[in-house]
Amino acid sequence: MLNFDLYNPTNLVFGKGQIEKLSTLVPQGAKILLAYGGGSIFKNGIHEQVINNLKNFTIVEFGGIEPNPHFETLMKAVDVIKEQKIDFILAVGGGSVIDGVKFISAAVNFEGNPMEILQKRLLIKDLSKVVPFGTVLTLPATGSEMNSGSVVTIQATQEKLAFGGSALFPKFSICDPTVIQSLPKRQLQNGVVDAYTHVLEQYLTYPHEGFLQDRIAESILQTLIQVGPEVVENPADYALASNFMWSCTMALNGLIQKGVPSDWATHMIGHELTALYGIDHARTLAVVGPNLYRVMFETKKGKLAQYGKRIFNLTGTDDEIANEAINKTVAFFHTMGMDTKLSDYTKEFDNTANFIVDRFKERGWLGLGEKQLVTLEKVTAIVEMSY
C-alpha cells in the first residue's frame, strides 16, 4: 500500500430532519450568504426549512448558480460578500452549488486574478484566507459535501477546470435523504452514474496491495448497482434513498483513494465534452469511461478482470472477463438511462478529438491516468471511439 495522509474535518450530519440542527452548526453571530441554484429549493420546501432554522441570523441570498457553475456568476457572489461583509457561506444545493461555493470561498481573499485558481489548478491550504462554509445537500452525486475538490466552468473560454485544497472542506454538511423525493428522474440517474464512475476512477487502475481499499470500493459499486435502478423509480423509499446518498458521499470523500493509485482521465476528457456541448457531467462519463477502458485495455486488464469477477461474477479467461466487464458496465449505464455515444447528444462532433487534444497540449497535459499512459494519441482514440 502507498503512503498517505488522511485528513477530512467535515462534520457530516446525516438523516431525516437534520436541517433542524442548522442554528447550532453555523457560528453564532455569523452573517450568512445563502447560495443556491435555479430555485428548486423553493418548490421542495428546503428554502423555508433553512430560513426557519436560521431566524436569529442575518442572511443575504444569492441564487442562480448554474449546473457546472460559471466563474462569471461566482465572481458576482464574491462581490456581494465583500460589499456585505459576509463571514459565512451556506451552500444549499447539489454538487454544482457546493463546488461554486468552494470557489467563492477561495476567491474572496485571493491576491491576484481569481481565474488563476482555475487555470493553475491551485491548492488552497491557508484557512485564514478562505471564507468558511457549510452545506445542505439537495442532490447526491458528486461527494462535494465531504471533500475539498471543486470544478468550475469559465464560460468565456468554454473550459471546465478543477482545483481544491485542504482549506476547502465544508465545516459541516447536512445530508437528509428525504430531499431526493422531489428530484427529477434524470438527476437521480445522473447521481448514480456519477458516483459509480467516481469509484471506477479510483479502482480501475492496476492490481496493487490496497486490499481493503479495493473491498470498500467494490462494496460501493455493488450498493449502487443494487439500489440505483430502484431509487430512480421510488425515491420516497428511505432505505433506497439513504443508501444512495451515503454511497455518493463515500465514493468521493477521499477514503477509497488513500494508499492506492487513481486515474481521473475519464473525468478530464468528460469535462471537455460538458464545456463544449453542455452535456450533463454524468452522461459524459458514461460516454467516455467504457471507451477509455477499451483503448487502455492492456494496462487495465488485470483490474478489469478483478472487477468482472467480484462485481459481476464473471468466469473465463482474464481477457474474456475484462472485456465482458466493460460490456456489463455499459449495460448498467443503459439501465440507468444513459446514452453512451457522443452522437446521441450532438451531431457536431467531427473535430472534437482534435480540439480536446489541442487544448490538453496547450495546458501541458501530455499524459493522463494512473501512470500517465493516456497520451494525446490515446485521448484521440478514446474520443473518436466515443463518437
Side-chain angles (χ1 to χ4, degrees):
M1 188 180 295
L2 305 176
N3 294 352
F4 65 89
D5 292 343
L6 177 58
Y7 173 75
N8 194 319
T10 300
N11 178 16
L12 195 85
V13 185
F14 190 97
K16 297 178 183 178
Q18 297 285 42
I19 290 178
E20 295 176 2
K21 294 182 178 178
L22 253 181
S23 62
T24 65
L25 295 168
V26 176
Q28 293 304 304
K31 188 174 185 180
I32 303 168
L33 183 78
L34 176 58
Y36 50 86
S40 62
I41 64 170
F42 292 92
K43 299 174 185 176
N44 59 22
I46 293 174
H47 180 271
E48 182 180 6
Q49 291 182 59
V50 168
I51 295 298
N52 286 343
N53 284 286
L54 292 174
K55 287 180 178 178
N56 297 323
F57 292 85
T58 301
I59 299 172
V60 177
E61 299 194 23
F62 184 89
I65 297 176
E66 306 88 354
N68 306 301
H70 293 171
F71 165 82
E72 294 83 355
T73 300
L74 303 176
M75 286 307 297
K76 295 177 183 177
V78 170
D79 291 339
V80 172
I81 288 177
K82 291 179 177 179
E83 291 167 5
Q84 298 288 334
K85 294 182 171 54
I86 302 291
D87 50 24
F88 192 86
I89 312 171
L90 182 64
V92 182
S96 291
V97 172
I98 299 171
D99 277 12
V101 163
K102 289 176 183 176
F103 177 80
I104 295 166
S105 170
V108 170
N109 298 311
F110 184 75
E111 297 176 3
N113 183 352
M115 193 178 287
E116 293 181 0
I117 296 172
L118 306 175
Q119 293 174 332
K120 296 183 178 180
R121 302 179 72 187
L122 297 181
L123 291 176
I124 311 299
K125 299 180 179 181
D126 188 345
L127 282 167
S128 70
K129 296 294 181 68
V130 302
V131 180
F133 64 95
T135 88
V136 176
L137 182 67
T138 63
L139 172 59
T142 70
S144 194
E145 67 278 3
M146 201 180 181
N147 67 41
S148 61
S150 173
V151 184
V152 168
T153 297
I154 304 175
Q155 190 177 21
T157 57
Q158 288 186 294
E159 292 179 280
K160 185 174 178 181
L161 300 170
F163 73 101
S166 57
L168 295 177
F169 283 99
K171 295 299 182 185
F172 64 83
S173 285
I174 295 175
C175 300
D176 182 344
T178 64
V179 303
I180 76 164
Q181 295 179 29
S182 61
L183 292 175
K185 181 179 290 189
R186 184 183 182 93
Q187 289 186 334
L188 292 169
Q189 292 170 332
N190 286 351
V192 172
V193 171
D194 197 3
Y196 195 90
T197 310
H198 286 159
V199 179
L200 293 184
E201 293 275 40
Q202 300 162 92
Y203 174 77
L204 280 183
T205 55
Y206 52 83
H208 51 70
E209 296 176 344
F211 307 136
L212 178 60
Q213 301 303 72
D214 273 2
R215 292 297 189 183
I216 298 172
E218 289 158 2
S219 71
I220 299 170
L221 296 174
Q222 290 168 326
T223 303
L224 288 168
I225 290 171
Q226 176 185 348
V227 307
E230 294 183 66
V231 78
V232 168
E233 300 301 329
N234 190 13
D237 184 310
Y238 189 76
L240 296 174
S242 56
N243 281 281
F244 164 48
M245 181 174 275
W246 185 224
S247 292
C248 291
T249 301
M250 284 293 293
L252 201 58
N253 66 2
L255 179 61
I256 64 171
Q257 74 176 19
K258 298 304 180 185
V260 300
S262 57
D263 186 343
W264 298 110
T266 294
H267 271 68
M268 304 306 284
I269 298 169
H271 286 165
E272 298 303 317
L273 298 181
T274 296
L276 286 171
Y277 302 116
I279 305 168
D280 298 6
H281 171 60
R283 291 165 196 267
T284 70
L285 303 179
V287 168
V288 174
N291 294 307
L292 184 143
Y293 308 143
R294 292 181 178 114
V295 170
M296 303 304 297
F297 186 80
E298 287 304 317
T299 62
K300 289 185 177 289
K301 180 170 61 177
K303 208 57 179 290
L304 280 164
Q306 177 181 308
Y307 168 59
K309 293 171 187 175
R310 294 185 181 182
I311 302 300
F312 300 113
N313 299 312
L314 300 175
T315 57
T317 66
D318 278 1
D319 278 53
E320 291 169 342
I321 293 170
N323 272 304
E324 185 58 19
I326 299 172
N327 295 334
K328 289 286 189 182
T329 304
V330 173
F332 175 63
F333 290 164
H334 289 164
T335 298
M336 294 310 308
M338 299 287 120
D339 292 317
T340 52
K341 289 294 180 184
L342 185 57
S343 56
D344 294 323
Y345 298 97
T346 178
K347 302 306 177 187
E348 300 177 4
F349 53 75
D350 288 344
N351 198 42
T352 303
N354 290 335
F355 183 88
I356 291 174
V357 165
D358 287 345
R359 181 164 270 182
F360 284 2
K361 193 180 299 181
E362 290 170 6
R363 296 175 188 155
W365 299 358
L366 304 182
L368 307 176
E370 61 270 20
K371 291 185 176 180
Q372 289 75 57
L373 295 177
V374 185
T375 61
L376 297 181
E377 182 181 2
K378 298 289 189 183
V379 171
T380 299
I382 291 163
V383 177
E384 289 182 347
M385 190 179 287
S386 299
Y387 290 170

